[in-house]
Amino acid sequence: MNIQIIAVGKLKETYLVQGIAEYVKRLGPYAKVQIVEVPDEKAPESMSAAEEVQVRQREGERILAKLPADAYVVALAIDGKPLSSEELARQVQDLATYGRSHMAFVIGGSLGLAPEVLARADLKLSFGRMTLPHQLMRLVLVEQVYRAFKIIRGEPYHK
């Protein structure tokens, strides 16, 4: 299975970089994982609604350019479908069973994802209604992907 995580912005916090690297290493026996960072749009603190749309659109264009045509795209969105860890594992397993060996998870910037990216998504996934920093979301996501593979294989993993 090929797992791609496309995220807006560059990680600067060492503890997040280290945590993500640890889970990517643990995923090695199960999947090939690639993390792709696309540049975030520089934006002032206070923007008009039109400026926010432009920021999302520019970031969205960068994301869409990185998505392979054959990828099953999972967009992380607050208004997406909430799944348990077991349900995510079933989703990953079903895709592999039916020959969809490339999954791309998309994490937007601080303003979220452009409508074009959401339209390209095969699944909109929510990790809950709380707002989390998009940098932290990368760590949470890669941990859940690792957990999914442990569940699929029936291997023990802490709860």
Side-chain angles (χ1 to χ4, degrees):
M1 181 68 113
N2 292 307
I3 304 287
Q4 189 176 37
I5 297 171
I6 301 173
V8 173
K10 186 155 182 64
L11 275 185
K12 298 173 188 83
E13 295 82 0
T14 304
Y15 68 96
L16 291 174
V17 171
Q18 290 171 339
I20 291 166
E22 176 62 28
Y23 283 108
V24 168
K25 183 177 90 178
R26 290 182 188 188
L27 275 161
Y30 309 110
K32 179 182 173 206
V33 179
Q34 177 190 27
I35 297 178
V36 177
E37 294 178 335
V38 298
D40 56 345
E41 227 8 72
K42 302 299 176 225
E45 282 297 315
S46 59
M47 289 184 280
S48 69
E51 289 171 321
E52 287 184 9
V53 167
Q54 284 183 332
V55 166
R56 278 192 296 273
Q57 181 183 10
R58 287 185 193 122
E59 290 174 349
E61 289 168 358
R62 293 177 189 134
I63 291 167
L64 291 170
K66 299 293 182 181
L67 286 172
D70 66 338
Y72 182 90
V73 178
V74 179
L76 275 58
I78 288 176
D79 64 346
K81 181 178 182 180
L83 297 178
S84 68
S85 297
E86 293 78 12
E87 289 168 330
L88 178 61
R90 272 194 299 279
Q91 183 81 24
V92 172
Q93 188 172 30
D94 288 350
L95 289 169
T97 299
Y98 296 107
R100 299 289 303 266
S101 63
H102 193 133
M103 285 185 82
F105 291 89
V106 179
I107 302 171
S110 58
L111 297 176
L113 292 167
E116 296 82 5
V117 175
L118 294 170
R120 170 65 179 87
D122 296 289
L123 170 67
K124 288 188 270 184
L125 176 64
S126 173
F127 277 78
R129 295 185 336 189
M130 289 184 180
T131 302
L132 296 172
H134 56 280
Q135 298 93 340
L136 178 59
M137 197 63 238
R138 287 193 215 183
L139 178 59
V140 173
L141 173 63
V142 76
E143 187 280 334
Q144 283 298 301
V145 171
Y146 173 68
R147 185 179 296 269
F149 279 100
K150 295 295 270 187
I151 290 168
I152 291 166
R153 298 282 178 98
E155 297 172 355
Y157 186 60
H158 61 77
K159 297 191 182 230

